[in-house]
Amino acid sequence: MPITILMADDDADDRRLTQEAFEEGRLINDVRFVENGEQLLDYLRKQGPYAPPADAPRPGLILLDLNMPRKDGRTVLKELKTDPELRQIPVVVLTTSKADEDIYKSYDLGVNSYIVKPVTFEALVDILQTLEKYWFEIVELPPPKE
Amino acid sequence: MQPLPPAPSPPRFSIRRKIVFGFGLVLVMLGIIGLISFRSTQVFIATARSVAHTREVMEIQERTQRHLMEMESSRRGYLITGDENSLRESEDAQDRIVANFKALKEYTQDTPQQTLKLDRLLTLIQRSFAEQQSEIEIRRTQGLQPSVEAFVNGDSRQTREEIRKILADFDREQRALLAERAELTQVIGRATTVAIIAGSSLTFVALVVACILILRDVAARRRAEEALAAEHNLLLSIIDTIPDHVYVKDVEGRFILDNIAHRELHGPKTDGTTVGRTVFDYYQPDEAAVFDEDDRVVIESGESIMNREIEVPPQNGAEAWIEVTKVPLRDTDGDIIGLVGISADISDRKAAEAQLWQFASQLERSNAELQNFASVASHDLQEPLRKIQAFGDRLRNKCGPALSAQGLDYLDRMQSAAQRMQVLIQDLLKLSRVTSRAMPFEDCDLNEIVKAVIGDLEIDIEQKGAEIEVGELPTIQADPLQMRQLFQNLISNALKFQRPGDLPRVIVEGRVFKMKERKTPGALSGEEICKLVVRDNGIGFDSKFADQIFVVFQRLHSRSEYEGTGIGLAICRKITDRHGGTIVAKSAEGQGAAFIVTLPTTQPSPQAHDTRSHADYDIDGR
């Protein structure tokens, strides 16, 4: 069963480009998308539209945009990393912000990696391939609780 | 204004002391004269009395002598005649002699040697009496002859002679005494006269001197008082010319003195005078309490209140402010006896300040908005740009084969335009980072910095065969990264704007000098200025563009001739602005260019010329 990757991004273009990049990179992961912080937490906690029997497998990696409507990435990150159930899931921030402040803040909150969105599609494919290889082949993660 | 006349120096002795001393001296002298007169008079009286006494003694003595002679002649008469009447006369004379002698004895008690003589005389007289008695007895019993014999042969004659001698002696003595006493009287009289005249003269002189001294003092005092009054008037005139309120209060807060400005405002409320009144007579109780509290603080602590700004009730609907200074007033012993206050109406100043502050904050806000605009615009512009490029890539990769050659060309142009826009946006970001990413000023060795820049440009320099000559450069206080950026832009420009095929030659020089006048805007006179020149042998430019080239994205050449967006010199100008310096360009078409940078060698504070309003503002943050 392919590992699920959950991406939270309010930008439809970016979601589409990411989806295409996964395909272009021949990555077999189960990629799912949410559009804001609230949806992300609902998905992870299996609440609202994601309540059983909806299909919401626990992700092996979360790609998180920082600037999102309703609940932004910083707040979500804080909640994720203080939730004993969810904090083992690796979170990688994927954002357009290069601000030092965002980088510091994200690592302070316990983010696992911080990546600035690349300009070209090829670079994005490259990044996703690297992420997949790193988190699912190199790194040892705690076994899923389910 | 005339200088004040010098205050007369205070006399060495106070007028009071002079009066007391002068008149005391006169009194003492008068006392002495009185005493002398009294003593002289006493002596005079005593002397006169003793003269009279002496005369009396002499009279008695003469009488005694006469009686002695009477007694003798009557006794002789008896001796011759045997007449008992003569005998009685003799006895009467004898009685008178005895009486006189007693008087004489009494009178001469004051002169012992005369007393001695009298004692002797008494003895002789008694003896004479006895001898005469015996002669009388002889006459009575034996008759005339024996008694004459006894008279002639007896001792009585001798005794009588002796008595006469003593009396004569006594008389002489008494005369001498009289003369002596008369002389003494005269001497004392003269001495007294002299003493009184001398004393009176001295007293007169002392009085005159004392009067002169006192009059002189009084005159000096009057002059001093006049000078003081003049000074007082001058001070009053001065404080009256002050438009602010100037007043003096006692320790109870009552006005003692004030200037016209204060009096004209408040006087009419209290019968034209403010003296003896307090702030409670002129202000609302709560307002007056504020002023009164300040007075109390100054009087109790002895510390001044300087330039305290107090808001007072609005005047004509506008905010009203006063600035108050209160200083304790001390007497010559240093005890606080009140306070001196000045209060100025600073409503206009405050209004101007408020307006200025408003302008400043407006400016700050609009600056911040501009910064924010630049940043947000840059980011938000970059987002869609990124998409254009990304989907352009997708289009080329996925649908490339389906596009015609013309379609592919359009796609190329779209993508290169997008890329160019990205460069422009990044350049804008660079420009705004001059202030948003400013680092504190520190000592920068410009030699090191230029060396590093040349290192960075090494490839370009080698490719173009450029020659770069760097003179000795100073060390100044600056933002090192921005200095590096400044030289990087200037030197790379010098390398870039060359005729194809020419070997670039760049000269970098610097020197430090003192500013004499405020020639350079932003630079203070007297401050040390560092002048840096980057000169090249390139294409130069028409001097009419000398200002234009520093404007953002202003270019003098097409991109096909010389690449670049036209941000480099704009950044240079922003950097020199931030450092409180200037940059100007001098050139002529085809004759190379010189860029002259002036920078202060020291910076007043680490961020002195930082025009940023929000220190933490980050242009790259979304």
Side-chain angles (χ1 to χ4, degrees):
Chain A
M1 172 142 184
I3 299 169
T4 301
I5 294 177
L6 182 59
M7 182 182 195
D9 198 320
D10 63 316
D11 188 321
D13 293 337
D14 277 337
R15 290 199 298 272
R16 169 136 191 207
L17 282 170
T18 309
Q19 176 81 55
E20 284 191 25
F22 271 108
E23 289 162 12
E24 189 92 0
R26 302 183 205 294
L27 300 170
I28 46 129
N29 300 91
D30 169 26
V31 184
R32 300 184 181 226
F33 296 96
V34 289
E35 293 177 20
N36 59 51
E38 279 181 1
Q39 280 184 15
L40 176 64
L41 289 171
D42 281 350
Y43 178 102
L44 292 172
R45 289 168 180 160
K46 301 190 194 303
Q47 294 166 348
Y50 302 99
D55 178 31
R58 184 178 164 102
L61 179 69
I62 297 170
L63 298 177
L64 182 67
D65 187 15
L66 285 183
N67 298 304
M68 290 186 293
R70 295 172 79 86
K71 193 170 253 184
D72 81 351
R74 301 166 189 84
T75 318
V76 171
L77 186 59
K78 193 174 177 181
E79 287 188 36
L80 282 179
K81 289 303 177 187
T82 49
D83 186 327
E85 287 294 313
L86 303 175
R87 67 178 168 217
Q88 289 110 5
I89 305 173
V91 179
V92 174
V93 164
L94 190 60
T95 180
T96 50
S97 170
K98 289 178 195 165
D100 291 346
E101 196 191 330
D102 281 336
I103 298 171
Y104 278 117
K105 180 100 191 261
S106 300
Y107 281 106
D108 280 348
L109 291 172
V111 79
N112 299 80
S113 295
Y114 189 107
I115 293 169
V116 177
K117 279 179 188 171
V119 172
T120 61
F121 183 76
E122 282 72 23
L124 183 62
V125 172
D126 198 28
I127 284 169
L128 291 177
Q129 281 175 332
T130 309
L131 276 177
E132 202 270 348
K133 186 177 166 72
Y134 180 76
W135 286 108
F136 306 134
E137 290 174 31
I138 300 172
V139 171
E140 287 293 341
L141 290 169
K145 285 183 177 175
E146 285 168 302
Chain B
M1 196 180 73
Q2 285 290 314
L4 283 175
S9 57
R12 209 150 64 94
F13 298 111
S14 73
I15 187 160
R16 194 187 157 85
R17 278 183 67 183
K18 278 184 183 167
I19 290 174
V20 168
F21 184 74
F23 283 93
L25 188 70
V26 168
L27 276 179
V28 167
M29 287 171 81
L30 281 176
I32 291 168
I33 292 166
L35 206 66
I36 290 171
S37 305
F38 178 70
R39 284 292 300 153
S40 311
T41 312
Q42 266 190 334
V43 171
F44 197 77
I45 289 168
T47 317
R49 196 178 290 148
S50 71
V51 168
H53 180 77
T54 311
R55 283 188 198 284
E56 203 144 338
V57 169
M58 284 169 73
E59 227 166 80
I60 295 169
Q61 176 255 327
E62 271 165 22
R63 253 197 331 263
T64 310
Q65 204 155 7
R66 203 172 62 235
H67 293 317
L68 276 173
M69 274 154 72
E70 275 169 13
M71 184 182 152
E72 180 144 352
S73 68
S74 47
R75 188 180 46 94
R76 272 185 210 164
Y78 174 76
L79 286 183
I80 295 164
T81 63
D83 185 3
E84 284 295 320
N85 283 337
S86 300
L87 196 61
R88 268 197 305 279
E89 274 172 31
S90 167
E91 277 164 2
D92 285 348
Q94 188 178 340
D95 288 344
R96 280 198 291 274
I97 287 167
V98 170
N100 273 330
F101 192 84
K102 273 183 189 157
L104 202 58
K105 176 104 184 181
E106 232 165 82
Y107 272 110
T108 54
Q109 268 167 351
D110 56 340
T111 39
Q113 77 264 38
Q114 296 290 75
T115 314
L116 280 176
K117 283 192 186 110
L118 284 180
D119 287 346
R120 170 94 182 109
L121 192 61
L122 183 65
T123 320
L124 288 172
I125 286 172
Q126 277 165 351
R127 196 200 307 169
S128 171
F129 284 174
E131 283 166 358
Q132 288 183 32
Q133 197 57 46
S134 73
E135 280 170 11
I136 288 164
E137 284 303 314
I138 291 167
R139 173 70 177 85
R140 200 176 276 161
T141 55
Q142 297 172 31
L144 181 64
Q145 198 58 39
S147 69
V148 172
E149 278 173 21
F151 177 74
V152 176
N153 304 323
D155 297 330
S156 67
R157 246 171 116 161
Q158 199 187 336
T159 305
R160 282 194 306 275
E161 200 58 34
E162 260 180 76
I163 286 172
R164 253 193 309 277
K165 245 161 76 189
I166 285 178
L167 276 174
D169 194 22
F170 187 85
D171 184 54
R172 206 172 44 251
E173 194 101 338
Q174 210 57 39
R175 274 173 202 284
L177 200 61
L178 181 67
E180 193 185 307
R181 284 185 176 170
E183 177 74 12
L184 187 65
T185 311
Q186 259 186 359
V187 166
I188 287 169
R190 272 202 304 275
T192 307
T193 312
V194 167
I196 287 171
I197 288 171
S200 303
S201 308
L202 266 176
T203 308
F204 181 74
V205 168
L207 259 176
V208 168
V209 168
C211 278
I212 288 170
L213 285 178
I214 288 163
L215 282 176
R216 231 172 51 183
D217 261 14
V218 167
R221 181 159 292 226
R222 203 176 49 234
R223 276 198 304 278
E225 275 166 5
E226 279 166 7
L228 207 64
E231 202 170 329
H232 185 71
N233 276 336
L234 180 65
L235 286 177
L236 283 184
S237 310
I238 290 170
I239 69 164
D240 278 345
T241 57
I242 297 173
D244 303 339
H245 292 178
V246 181
Y247 47 81
V248 180
K249 290 179 186 177
D250 66 12
V251 287
E252 300 297 328
R254 288 183 295 251
F255 291 106
I256 303 172
L257 178 75
D258 58 1
N259 69 343
I260 282 183
H262 185 258
R263 201 158 51 242
E264 281 184 350
L265 179 70
H266 293 315
K269 300 174 206 162
T270 48
D271 310 327
T273 177
T274 52
V275 172
R277 302 294 182 152
T278 70
V279 282
F280 290 96
D281 291 314
Y282 304 123
Y283 295 96
Q284 296 299 316
D286 52 341
E287 214 183 328
V290 172
F291 299 137
D292 195 50
E293 176 60 25
D294 281 354
D295 292 354
R296 220 167 284 284
V297 166
V298 169
I299 284 165
E300 279 165 18
S301 70
E303 277 168 23
S304 306
I305 290 178
M306 303 304 286
N307 303 328
R308 186 177 154 184
E309 293 179 356
I310 301 174
E311 191 170 7
V312 294
Q315 305 274 317
N316 307 324
E319 267 187 15
W321 283 82
I322 55 169
E323 188 178 70
V324 177
T325 291
K326 287 177 176 172
V327 180
L329 185 66
R330 294 169 192 275
D331 62 12
T332 44
D333 295 332
D335 294 328
I336 293 172
I337 54 166
L339 62 85
V340 180
I342 300 178
S343 67
D345 183 353
I346 53 162
S347 305
D348 291 348
R349 195 183 82 196
K350 288 298 266 191
E353 272 175 16
Q355 207 171 16
L356 212 62
W357 188 84
Q358 207 180 341
F359 285 147
S361 63
Q362 260 174 17
L363 204 64
E364 208 169 283
R365 242 191 341 266
S366 73
N367 265 345
E369 274 165 13
L370 261 175
Q371 288 271 18
N372 200 26
F373 177 78
S375 143
V376 169
S378 307
H379 281 289
D380 291 350
L381 287 173
Q382 268 188 314
E383 261 317 282
L385 213 51
R386 197 168 54 81
K387 305 276 176 58
I388 291 172
Q389 286 175 299
F391 285 110
D393 285 346
R394 299 303 296 138
L395 183 62
R396 185 184 303 279
N397 290 344
K398 286 227 162 171
C399 318
L403 285 173
S404 66
Q406 200 176 23
L408 282 173
D409 181 45
Y410 292 156
L411 189 58
D412 274 349
R413 286 176 190 278
M414 272 168 60
Q415 284 199 293
S416 80
Q419 195 163 9
R420 176 151 181 76
M421 187 157 175
Q422 185 147 25
V423 173
L424 286 172
I425 289 168
Q426 273 161 2
D427 282 351
L428 263 183
L429 273 173
K430 267 189 220 159
L431 184 68
S432 68
R433 276 188 202 134
V434 170
T435 48
S436 71
R437 288 284 174 84
M439 300 298 284
F441 297 125
E442 55 185 77
D443 287 342
C444 300
D445 183 351
L446 296 180
N447 299 300
E448 295 288 317
I449 283 168
V450 171
K451 202 187 280 177
V453 168
I454 291 170
D456 288 346
L457 297 172
E458 204 179 349
I459 297 166
D460 202 19
I461 292 167
E462 269 178 28
Q463 276 178 352
K464 291 180 172 163
E467 190 187 327
I468 298 187
E469 192 183 307
V470 183
E472 182 65 26
L473 300 176
T475 295
I476 63 168
Q477 281 181 356
D479 179 335
L481 277 179
Q482 292 186 348
M483 285 301 106
R484 191 166 171 157
Q485 200 172 3
L486 177 75
F487 280 108
Q488 175 111 25
N489 291 352
L490 291 178
I491 295 172
S492 61
N493 270 1
L495 296 174
K496 184 175 19 168
F497 295 103
Q498 293 281 342
R499 280 169 291 269
D502 277 8
L503 295 181
R505 190 174 151 73
V506 184
I507 301 168
V508 182
E509 295 168 315
R511 67 187 177 94
V512 171
F513 61 96
K514 262 207 183 339
M515 284 295 289
K516 282 207 180 93
E517 284 164 44
R518 203 192 168 102
K519 283 181 189 161
T520 317
L524 297 168
S525 57
E527 143 178 81
E528 264 192 356
I529 292 291
C530 152
K531 184 173 178 178
L532 303 163
V533 182
V534 178
R535 205 186 306 276
D536 64 55
N537 61 342
I539 55 172
F541 54 86
D542 189 329
S543 61
K544 72 182 175 193
F545 299 119
D547 281 330
Q548 207 178 313
I549 54 172
F550 292 104
V551 177
V552 106
F553 296 144
Q554 285 289 326
R555 295 169 49 85
L556 300 180
H557 308 280
S558 69
R559 285 200 309 283
S560 57
E561 288 175 299
Y562 297 100
E563 59 178 12
T565 57
I567 197 77
L569 289 175
I571 289 174
C572 288
R573 172 156 280 181
K574 206 162 180 190
I575 289 172
T576 55
D577 281 353
R578 185 191 161 223
H579 285 74
T582 58
I583 180 167
V584 291
K586 290 215 163 77
S587 180
E589 199 93 53
Q591 297 183 5
F595 288 85
I596 301 144
V597 175
T598 54
L599 293 170
T601 55
T602 55
Q603 297 288 346
S605 76
Q607 295 286 340
H609 305 285
D610 190 352
T611 50
R612 268 193 320 170
S613 49
H614 302 296
D616 293 328
Y617 187 76
D618 196 314
I619 197 134
D620 290 334
R622 270 205 63 181

